[in-house]
Amino acid sequence: DNGATNGINKKGNKYSDNVVRYVCDPVLGDHGKLYVPEELVSVYREEVVPLADVVTPNQFEVELLTGISIRSMEDGIRACKALHNLGPDLVIITSMSLDTSTSTSTSTNSCCNPDANSKNAEEQENSNGEILTMLASERIRDEITGEIKHHNMWSIETPQVQGKYTGTGDVCAALFLAWTAKIDDLKEILEKVASTMYALIKFTSESSSSSDGSNSIASRELKLIQSKGIIESPIIMFRAKRIEDQSRA
């Protein structure tokens, strides 16, 4: 509610001296459905997101916050820059389903690690044929003046595992928080997070299918404890590709 977001604002102001980084996962909804009252969208847009250093929305949440309908990589880039303009220096759209018929040179990604072609061909066969895209955009500033020099942008594609699973956005945001605190290479971070999420969801799917075959809430809960090794030491299955920054805005 508004009281909760106001509390976040107060804490954000209290710690606004760069002692901590504020990662905002704007949990508004998914798949065209709001989880929260509609009036909270403007609260996030005007009060919460501007405090964040990092923001990690899904496609639906990006569209709500920016008013930009995402159908192509170019739309995603415009949406990232719109979120940058609200305040955060690092924007990560955690999942996008793009219309491949509208793709151009900025969105021709290699989905898989070329060092593991046979394994990734098998992963493609085990998916439902749909592709999910992550897009990360980082504003690079001049160390002296603080002025924005350019955007460091990367995208990565993974096969979509069939089914709906609980907590994927939370885990994805937590992984970005953890890896951005440990390493400073956005390409490597994106590859670790995307590979971890795919392996985690795939393991959960296979574990659920091999049990009672039900579609219960418990069967859709991510197998986090059982996937400790996957989370701590992910095997890189997918490679990110640089997106050329066509503007300096």
Side-chain angles (χ1 to χ4, degrees):
D1 58 17
N2 285 353
T5 53
N6 286 338
I8 293 172
N9 288 347
K10 290 177 181 179
K11 287 185 178 295
N13 290 331
K14 178 180 179 181
Y15 297 114
S16 60
D17 55 356
N18 295 322
V19 174
V20 296
R21 286 185 316 139
Y22 174 22
V23 177
C24 173
D25 179 14
V27 183
L28 297 170
D30 201 1
H31 303 293
K33 179 181 178 182
L34 278 166
Y35 299 153
V36 299
E38 189 172 356
E39 56 266 27
L40 280 186
V41 175
S42 62
V43 174
Y44 268 93
R45 183 190 303 115
E46 298 167 11
E47 301 180 32
V48 180
V49 173
L51 293 173
D53 301 296
V54 185
V55 63
T56 60
N58 60 38
Q59 181 172 351
F60 178 62
E61 291 161 345
V62 172
E63 292 176 339
L64 287 173
L65 292 168
T66 66
I68 297 172
S69 179
I70 299 177
R71 297 294 177 268
S72 66
M73 182 61 70
E74 289 73 20
D75 295 333
I77 293 170
R78 288 195 299 117
C80 279
K81 292 187 176 182
L83 286 176
H84 280 311
N85 290 337
L86 294 179
D89 275 344
L90 179 56
V91 173
I92 300 144
I93 305 178
T94 58
S95 59
M96 301 188 296
S97 295
L98 303 179
D99 180 356
T100 56
S101 66
T102 63
S103 63
T104 66
S105 59
T106 61
S107 59
T108 52
N109 288 346
S110 173
C111 175
C112 301
N113 180 348
D115 299 326
N117 285 334
S118 60
K119 181 174 179 59
N120 283 298
E122 179 182 343
E123 302 297 345
Q124 289 278 26
E125 289 178 3
N126 292 335
S127 75
N128 60 5
E130 297 294 325
I131 296 295
L132 289 180
T133 303
M134 282 187 184
L135 176 61
S137 177
E138 178 183 27
R139 288 196 296 200
I140 305 301
R141 296 180 178 272
D142 186 280
E143 294 182 359
I144 298 176
T145 66
E147 293 183 357
I148 299 166
K149 297 195 299 182
H150 62 90
H151 294 81
N152 178 30
M153 291 184 286
W154 295 85
S155 70
I156 193 166
E157 295 177 347
T158 64
Q160 181 177 356
V161 179
Q162 295 186 48
K164 294 182 180 179
Y165 302 91
T166 304
T168 54
D170 298 331
V171 175
C172 195
L175 288 171
F176 274 114
L177 172 61
W179 285 116
T180 54
K182 294 186 69 173
I183 56 180
D184 195 33
D185 184 334
L186 187 56
K187 177 181 183 291
E188 182 181 358
I189 292 168
L190 201 58
E191 291 171 349
K192 286 182 180 294
V193 174
S195 296
T196 301
M197 290 303 301
Y198 178 78
L200 174 58
I201 295 170
K202 185 170 180 287
F203 176 74
T204 301
S205 173
E206 292 173 345
S207 299
S208 301
S209 299
S210 62
S211 56
D212 60 4
S214 68
N215 191 32
S216 63
I217 293 176
S219 71
R220 297 196 299 271
E221 291 282 352
L222 294 177
K223 308 294 185 184
L224 296 175
I225 303 301
Q226 299 90 330
S227 303
K228 181 174 180 288
I230 293 174
I231 294 170
E232 292 178 337
S233 303
I235 297 173
I236 304 303
M237 302 172 64
F238 310 100
R239 294 298 183 188
K241 185 171 182 178
R242 183 183 293 279
I243 301 295
E244 295 300 325
D245 185 8
Q246 301 297 328
S247 74
R248 300 299 172 186

